[in-house]
Amino acid sequence: MYLATTGRRDTPVRPRSGGAGRRVPGTVLALGTVSLVTDISSEMVTAVLPLYLVLGLGLSPLQFGFLDGLFNGVAAVVRLLGGYAADRGRGHKRVAGLGYALSALSRLGLLLAGGATAGIAAALATDRVGKGIRTAPRDALITLSSPPEALGRSFGVHRAMDTTGALLGPLAAFALLWATADAYDAVFVVSFCVGLLGVLLLVLYVPGQQPDPPVRPDPPVRPDPPVRPAPRGRKPFEALRDPAFRRILAAASLLGAATIGDAFVYLLLQDRLDLPVSWFPLLPLGAAACYLLLAIPVGRIADRVGRRLPFLYGHLALLGVYATLLAPVGGPALLLLVPVLVLLGVFYATTDGVLMALAGPVLPTDGRAGGLAVLQTGQALARLLAAAGFGAAWTLWGPGPALWAALSALLAALAGGWALLPRDPSGTPAPGQPQAQIPERRTA
């Protein structure tokens, strides 16, 4: 059996030259629709949170960095539980559905919390826990329903649909606040209703348990050993036994430790340009629009040339974000605003789904969700340290020196990531070379 035959297929995979074989699996489209609706719900709330916490409640950059990193850290740890639970009995849809439901219910928590900081923190923590639970099972479903040589395209389509929701969410929040004279309760109620719609779409249109993969019809040289039932779930850290996966994890964590996060980028833009407070929720739209335009083309390019270089080049774009924010740009605000938002969109388009497509094929099918959860957790914990460290540097030294420190750290991380990332671990051929057939990883 071969890895290219593993996982669920909505249509038989034809040769690469055939047009039908290039169709995106229905499971990916269904998951993309769920993510689109859920992101509208999420971004309606999160688009205004940095402004609300820092300017509304008066948190310092250090406090905001700690809270943002803490919530992301909680979500990262929960990813391990979500990935392990999903691999047990192949319950990817059930576990992902639980995560989507928790995120929807967190909007009610924000509504009931009023202005209480503790209630807001609890609601945000619930949302991040829900996101942490659902992310690895959802990405595992994408890898199990797509052929390995087309994973970049599948993740590109999913991330493009996801980003469409991220683009529409702030617009919806802005329109609601304008129509209701800054009534945040209206935003929370509408966000809850939209989140429930996402859960309903998951239940109705995303397939449940993935069937056993078909056996390759080619006659084997020698009889295969008897196929044993898939185990009830691998140990959460069993993926660390694979040397290629360990190197991917190390590189992603190293680069994550030099990623300050887009919330800080938007706060730096607001500080640098002295933007009106009412326009702050619209800042993510520029990066989201660029991400939306590039996600699918970048995924297709990554499938053709390998996923290592696009992932590294994406962090060069992030380096450009830091450098642009440090540059003494004068004149109209657009001279600073446009390059920063475009480069930030390029960064996410070339790293988010590409990293999952890079790591997915090196993981066994019965441990795919757990392995991706380990990778996402390592990266998120590294970004927790980056957020807290940058917040502390901003508070102690000011935004300029803190950005110089982040830029230097990212340069060093890029050098380390270049050395650590294995070359084409997923078996993606070099341009002009035939597609290699990779033996399936057999379960112990």
Side-chain angles (χ1 to χ4, degrees):
M1 294 173 64
Y2 295 86
L3 185 61
T5 66
T6 61
R8 185 182 184 277
R9 298 283 171 77
D10 295 301
T11 57
V13 178
R14 296 179 174 86
R16 292 172 62 90
S17 59
R22 296 180 182 273
R23 289 183 294 181
V24 176
T27 299
V28 175
L29 296 177
L31 287 169
T33 304
V34 172
S35 294
L36 187 155
V37 172
T38 302
D39 248 33
I40 293 176
S41 171
S42 298
E43 294 301 325
M44 288 178 67
V45 175
T46 57
V48 300
L49 280 179
L51 184 69
Y52 177 66
L53 294 176
V54 175
L55 300 184
L57 298 182
L59 270 65
S60 70
L62 174 60
Q63 291 171 315
F64 172 72
F66 177 78
L67 285 177
D68 185 64
L70 177 63
F71 290 144
N72 285 325
V74 169
V77 173
V78 172
R79 279 190 179 102
L80 294 175
L81 300 177
Y84 178 67
D87 285 332
R88 289 181 61 86
R90 300 178 182 175
H92 300 84
K93 177 180 176 179
R94 292 193 300 272
V95 177
L98 173 63
Y100 282 111
L102 283 175
S103 292
L105 291 174
S106 71
R107 317 293 184 244
L108 284 183
L110 287 171
L111 183 64
L112 297 175
T117 305
I120 292 173
L124 294 177
T126 302
D127 176 59
R128 299 300 174 90
V129 167
K131 183 176 182 180
I133 289 175
R134 71 178 184 253
T135 302
R138 180 202 66 199
D139 286 349
L141 280 172
I142 294 173
T143 65
L144 292 172
S145 62
S146 305
E149 68 275 8
L151 275 177
R153 183 176 73 248
S154 291
F155 274 103
V157 169
H158 175 269
R159 295 311 198 251
M161 298 178 73
D162 182 270
T163 307
T164 301
L167 193 65
L168 297 176
L171 287 175
F174 184 80
L176 276 172
L177 290 176
W178 178 79
T180 59
D182 294 340
Y184 285 90
D185 289 354
V187 175
F188 299 151
V189 170
V190 174
S191 174
F192 168 69
C193 295
V194 176
L196 282 185
L197 175 61
V199 176
L200 181 62
L201 290 173
L202 177 80
V203 172
L204 294 178
Y205 295 108
V206 175
Q209 178 174 330
Q210 300 294 305
D212 291 329
V215 178
R216 190 177 179 90
D218 297 350
V221 177
R222 57 185 176 81
D224 284 338
V227 178
R228 287 174 287 183
R232 295 288 297 173
R234 291 173 171 247
K235 296 179 180 179
F237 296 101
E238 190 167 348
L240 295 176
R241 296 182 180 180
D242 188 289
F245 179 79
R246 288 200 303 268
R247 295 176 68 180
I248 294 173
L249 173 62
S253 300
L254 180 63
L255 290 163
T259 303
I260 66 173
D262 50 356
F264 272 120
V265 171
Y266 301 141
L267 286 173
L268 287 165
L269 278 173
Q270 199 277 336
D271 178 73
R272 175 80 180 271
L273 300 175
D274 195 23
L275 295 172
V277 170
S278 59
W279 290 97
F280 185 87
L282 299 181
L283 285 178
L285 298 184
C290 184
Y291 187 0
L292 174 62
L293 292 174
L294 293 178
I296 296 176
V298 167
R300 295 175 65 90
I301 291 172
D303 286 338
R304 297 189 61 181
V305 305
R307 292 144 195 167
R308 175 178 179 269
L309 289 180
F311 182 71
L312 292 171
Y313 290 159
H315 286 85
L316 281 178
L318 182 62
L319 191 71
V321 171
Y322 297 170
T324 304
L325 287 170
L326 287 167
V329 179
L334 290 178
L335 292 179
L336 178 65
L337 191 64
V338 172
V340 168
L341 296 182
V342 168
L343 286 170
L344 192 62
V346 171
F347 164 67
Y348 281 114
T350 52
T351 58
D352 187 13
V354 171
L355 178 61
M356 297 299 102
L358 178 69
V362 307
L363 295 167
T365 57
D366 59 344
R368 187 77 46 94
L372 292 180
V374 170
L375 176 61
Q376 293 162 355
T377 298
Q379 185 183 51
L381 290 177
R383 289 182 175 180
L384 182 156
L385 297 177
F390 185 80
W394 186 346
T395 302
L396 296 175
W397 306 333
L403 257 181
W404 276 112
L407 186 146
S408 302
L410 184 55
L411 277 174
L414 272 169
W418 183 274
L420 282 170
L421 274 181
R423 298 183 182 275
D424 298 330
S426 60
T428 304
Q433 298 297 321
Q435 177 73 23
Q437 293 177 330
I438 308 171
E440 179 190 11
R441 295 177 181 273
R442 299 194 179 277
T443 59

